[in-house]
Each structure stands twice: as C-alpha cells, then as structure tokens.
C-alpha cells in the first residue's frame, strides 16, 4: 500500500500519520503538506525517521505539481485532510478556503482519476470532512448521513463544495471514494486559534478568555485520537461511495467547557478555586454563528464497531497536561504571525 496523507503536519493529520506509521509498518506513507501557519513538522518528531514514512512539502492548489506527484508515486490510497480549517479566518478571508478546500480537492481528484484510470481495483480516495456542512441544529435532533447540506460559513461552504465534488467523481468516473463528517476535535497539537487550546493557553498566561456571544452555542467534542482511529477503521473497512458520520456523543455549551477548563487548570496550577473564571470575557459574537452541532454516529458503530472513548473530563485533563508539558511547542506556534492574527481577531 502506497498511501498519500495530505495535511499530515496539522492537528488531526499528525495524529492520523502517527497512527498509520506505527500500525502499518508494511505501508509506504507520504505526508504531503504545504506547512501553512497551521502545519508544523514538530508535530511528527516521534515518527519522522521511521522507514515507512516520508514528508513532501507541497501545495494542493498547484495542479501541475499534484498531477506529477501522482504519476511519479503511483499511490494506492489517499487520505485527504489538507484544508484551511478555522471558521473565523474564513470570515475575514474566504479566498484561501476556496482555493485550498475546493480547488485543491479538485486537483487531487483529477490526479487520482488520471493515475488510476482503467485500474480502480483496490484503490481508495478518503475525504475527511466536517459536520459543519449540515448547518446548525435547534434544541433537538442530530446530524446523520442523510441530513441535507446547509453550510453557513465560507469554511463550511468550501468543505460542502469539496464533498459534492468527491461524490460527483464517484458517480461520474467511478472513483472509489469515502467521506466522513466529524464533529469538533480536541487533544494534543491543536493550534491555539481554536476554542479549547486558545482557552488553555490564555488561562496559563492569565489572559482574558474570549467567549463569543453568551457562550450558549453547543458543540459535540471528540478526542482527536478517536477521530484518527475512526479514519483508520473507515479507510480499511468502509464501503466505497459511502459516507460515515463521526461524533463524540458529548454535547457541551461553550461556556461550560470554558468553566471546566478553568476548574481543571486552577487545580493543576495551584491557583485558588474560581481564580481563572474571573478571566472570562464575553466578546462580540461570530457572524452567522451556528447554534448547535450534534452527530448521530450509529451507522459507524453498527457497521464498523467504532465508538468514542469516554469520559470527556479525563481526556480533557490529559489534554491540558500535554499543553503544560509542551511549553516550547506552544511558545513556537504562538510567536510571529499568531500575534498578528490574535490582535486582529480579538482586539478590534
Ligand atoms: P489544521 O488547520 O490543523 O491542519 C491543516 C493542515 O493542512 C496543515 O498542516 C496545513 O499546513 C495543511 N494545508 C493547508 N493548506 C494546504 C495546501 N494548500 N496544500 C497542502 N497542505 C495544506 O486542520 P485540522 O483541524 O487538523 O483539520 C484537518 C481536516 O479535518 C480538515 O479537512 C478539516 O476540515 C477536517 N475536520 C476538522 C475538525 C476539527 O475539529 N478540527 C473536525 C472535523 C473535520
Ligand atoms: O465541527 C467541526 C469543526 O469544528 C471543524 O470542521 C473546524 O475545522 C473546527 O475549527 C471546529 O469549528 P468550530 O467553529 O466549532 O470550532 P472553534 O474552536 O473555532 O469554536 C468552537 C466554539 O467556540 C464555537 O461555538 C465558537 C466558540 N469560540 C471560539 C473561539 C475561537 C469562542 O466562544 N471564543 C473563541 O475565541
């Protein structure tokens, strides 16, 4: 198996690469990543010298480069994670999302069709997507594989467009594709522009904890290593042409997640009870902020036996420990451009 993983230097991608490199010594695994602000090879320091692993720096929006890579490498499988992934950045600058998420995905699909033409047997193109393509839920109900698409941010619209392209290439060209749509991930190596690592970093540094609106929006949190395990299972045992929803069965209001982080970190940092909660600051809401996400992952459980690890508090506590033990990583990724981003996003 010659396997291409795109976006492997990012948050989820690095967990997928690590899992695959360790579990499948007989595979030849290529990690293709452009190393944008969100990509960091330090995320993969523990596997970088493994004989079944190779890193290639490259941009999926570069059509000629992608075409040549597929012709040279003759991949058998693709797990596609490379994307612009942060909703707030998609609001202030949607163009990069359309380029990477839509055009970049189309380039990969075209290259796969060309390289696998006449021999699709045993090949697999796995597209990693998000639950945000389904839009926003009211107080009840859950997203599932049959939910109609209703994306509402430039990020989710670009991911929805890429999902549609992937399915169209299956129906039109017979490309053996699989799609999964997953809920919010948390865990180690998460870039601190996203809620959980940003709040951990700010509590650590006694900075204001920005909560959008009233903090009542709900997300379904899944441990990133559970997502990587689901991707492994679906890549190897899922059915071509199928979609699988992946979720944590773990809905939390944002304000409750922030308060739980404050409590856990006050204990760990030897601060008095309630000290970090004083840092909570309600800020202007995200435009078009989706109210609630929740995934019904019954199909994945019934067909492939996957279930999330629990409980959330224990895994969140482990996650905090990782950030506290990896100060250099945190300092590195929050230097330079991060400061400019933070200034623009939060000090408007
Ligand atoms: P991330 O932003 O942490 O990582 C994205 C990676 O893609 C980075 O390493 C970056 O360098 C790379 N990349 C970006 N543009 C590229 C380009 N043009 N060419 C090559 N590489 C490029 O993202 P993440 O949170 O790890 O998400 C990974 C995938 O999972 C995305 O497709 C995202 O939509 C999806 N997803 C994320 C979540 C979540 O909670 N984070 C949930 C469901 C689905
Ligand atoms: O649902 C899956 C999606 O989850 C992925 O597809 C995206 O790539 C990923 O970024 C994530 O999107 P969200 O917008 O849900 O995640 P984020 O961490 O940005 O925000 C989580 C919630 O917290 C959301 O309701 C907005 C809120 N929030 C976020 C930030 C960054 C705040 O209140 N304050 C903040 O500073």
């Amino acid at each position: 198996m010659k396997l291409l993983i795109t976006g492997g230097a990012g948050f989820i991608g690095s967990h997928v690469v690590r899992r695959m490199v360790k579990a499948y010594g007989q595979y030849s695994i290529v990690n293709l990543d452009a190393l944008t602000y969100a990509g960091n090879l330090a995320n993969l320091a523990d596997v970088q010298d493994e004989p079944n692993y190779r890193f290639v720096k490259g941009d999926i929006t570069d059509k000629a480069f992608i075409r040549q890579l597929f012709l040279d490498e003759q991949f058998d499988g693709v797990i596609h994670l490379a994307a612009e992934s942060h909703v707030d950045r998609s609001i202030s600058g949607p163009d990069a999302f359309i380029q990477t998420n839509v055009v970049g995905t189309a380039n990969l699909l075209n290259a796969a069709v060309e390289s696998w033409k006449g021999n699709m047997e045993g090949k697999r193109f796995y597209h990693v997507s998000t639950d945000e393509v389904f839009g926003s839920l009211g107080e009840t109900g859950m997203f599932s594989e049959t939910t109609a698409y209703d994306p509402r941010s430039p990020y989710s619209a670009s991911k929805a467009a890429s999902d549609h392209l992937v399915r169209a290439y299956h129906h039109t060209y017979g490309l053996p594709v699989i799609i999964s749509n997953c809920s919010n991930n948390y865990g180690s190596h998460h870039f601190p522009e996203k809620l959980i690592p940003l709040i951990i970093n700010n509590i650590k540094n006694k900075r204001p904890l920005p909560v959008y609106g009233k903090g009542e929006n709900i997300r379904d949190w899944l441990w990133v290593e559970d997502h990587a395990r689901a991707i492994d299972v679906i890549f190897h045992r899922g059915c071509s042409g199928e979609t699988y929803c992946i979720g944590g069965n773990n809905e939390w209001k944002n304000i409750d997640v922030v308060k739980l982080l404050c409590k856990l970190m006050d204990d760990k940092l030897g601060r008095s009870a309630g000290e970090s909660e004083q840092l909570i600051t309600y800020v202007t809401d995200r435009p078009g902020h989706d109210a609630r996400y929740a995934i019904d992952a019954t199909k994945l459980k019934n067909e492939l036996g996957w279930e999330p690890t629990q409980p959330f508090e224990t895994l969140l506590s482990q996650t905090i420990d990782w950030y506290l033990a990896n100060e250099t990583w945190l300092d590195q990724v929050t230097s330079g451009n991060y400061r400019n981003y933070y200034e623009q996003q939060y000090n408007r």
Side-chain angles (χ1 to χ4, degrees):
M1 163 73 73
K2 189 145 193 189
L3 175 61
L4 172 68
I5 300 178
T6 72
F11 166 47
I12 301 169
S14 62
H15 285 277
V16 173
V17 167
R18 181 174 301 102
R19 182 179 178 91
M20 294 297 191
V21 167
K22 288 189 172 168
Y24 302 100
Q26 73 279 25
Y27 288 10
S28 169
I29 297 172
V30 173
N31 168 19
L32 170 70
D33 199 297
L35 299 182
T36 68
Y37 78 92
N40 186 353
L41 285 180
N43 293 353
L44 289 165
D46 54 332
V47 294
Q48 67 186 5
D49 296 325
E50 295 298 331
N52 60 339
Y53 170 75
R54 192 154 56 90
F55 173 70
V56 174
K57 185 170 188 295
D59 191 327
I60 61 168
T61 68
D62 183 341
K63 188 181 172 83
F65 165 76
I66 292 297
R67 177 174 183 267
Q68 198 56 51
L69 184 74
F70 273 72
L71 293 177
D72 291 346
E73 301 279 352
Q74 295 292 311
F75 298 115
D76 303 299
V78 177
I79 302 180
H80 173 37
L81 297 112
E84 289 291 339
S85 69
H86 190 37
V87 173
D88 294 323
R89 289 189 193 251
S90 84
I91 293 167
S92 52
D95 291 1
F97 288 71
I98 294 157
Q99 284 308 312
T100 287
N101 300 359
V102 186
V103 176
T105 302
N107 289 340
L108 291 165
L109 289 166
N110 285 328
V113 166
E114 183 183 13
S115 138
W116 296 344
K117 204 168 186 172
N119 181 24
M120 301 269 187
E121 193 58 38
K123 305 290 194 286
R124 179 144 290 190
F125 189 108
Y126 182 162
H127 176 61
V128 176
S129 192
T130 170
D131 61 357
E132 301 204 8
V133 298
F134 301 125
S136 181
L137 289 165
E139 282 179 16
T140 57
M142 294 176 116
F143 299 133
S144 76
E145 291 78 6
T146 55
T147 305
Y149 275 42
D150 183 22
R152 295 149 47 102
S153 73
Y155 163 68
S156 54
S158 68
K159 291 296 289 188
S162 65
D163 291 11
H164 290 321
L165 282 171
V166 171
R167 285 197 188 93
Y169 275 60
H170 176 69
H171 291 292
T172 307
Y173 305 110
L175 196 71
V177 307
I178 294 199
I179 297 179
S180 60
N181 297 90
C182 187
S183 65
N184 288 61
N185 287 210
Y186 69 96
S188 71
H189 305 90
H190 202 182
F191 194 79
E193 63 187 352
K194 310 281 168 63
L195 180 72
I196 287 181
L198 184 142
I199 296 294
I200 292 173
N201 189 36
N202 285 14
I203 293 174
K204 177 172 165 275
N205 295 308
K206 298 191 176 181
R207 296 184 67 179
L209 310 179
V211 174
Y212 296 164
K214 294 182 177 153
E216 305 228 307
N217 303 62
I218 293 173
R219 296 292 183 263
D220 170 5
W221 292 100
L222 176 71
W223 189 39
V224 64
E225 294 190 33
D226 282 342
H227 190 187
R229 179 166 51 87
I231 289 173
D232 181 353
V233 166
I234 294 168
F235 179 74
H236 287 101
R237 297 198 279 118
C239 289
S240 178
E242 290 290 317
T243 295
Y244 297 87
C245 280
I246 311 171
N249 199 19
N250 180 39
E251 291 182 50
W252 284 74
K253 279 185 188 168
N254 292 337
I255 187 63
D256 294 335
V257 172
V258 172
K259 286 183 176 171
L260 176 58
L261 287 166
C262 289
K263 180 175 164 295
L264 291 169
M265 287 190 70
D266 280 346
D267 284 351
K268 288 176 194 293
L269 296 169
R271 295 182 187 165
S272 54
E275 189 178 330
S276 296
E277 273 198 25
Q278 314 271 333
L279 297 167
I280 292 175
T281 309
Y282 292 93
V283 299
T284 311
D285 208 352
R286 172 185 281 173
H289 197 170
D290 288 340
R292 176 173 163 255
Y293 304 146
I295 282 277
D296 175 358
T298 306
K299 174 177 172 179
L300 186 53
K301 181 181 174 195
N302 288 350
E303 292 187 10
L304 302 178
W306 177 92
E307 281 187 88
T309 312
Q310 302 288 7
F312 180 52
E313 284 91 334
T314 309
L315 296 166
L316 195 63
S317 172
Q318 278 178 29
T319 300
I320 296 168
D321 291 342
W322 185 87
Y323 284 95
L324 295 179
N326 286 274
E327 278 202 331
T328 316
W329 183 93
L330 203 48
D331 290 347
Q332 246 173 28
V333 301
T334 53
S335 63
N337 286 340
Y338 179 82
R339 293 206 188 120
N340 302 335
Y341 164 77
Y342 200 94
E343 192 63 31
Q344 274 167 20
Q345 177 66 19
Y346 294 100
N347 298 331
R348 284 177 290 188

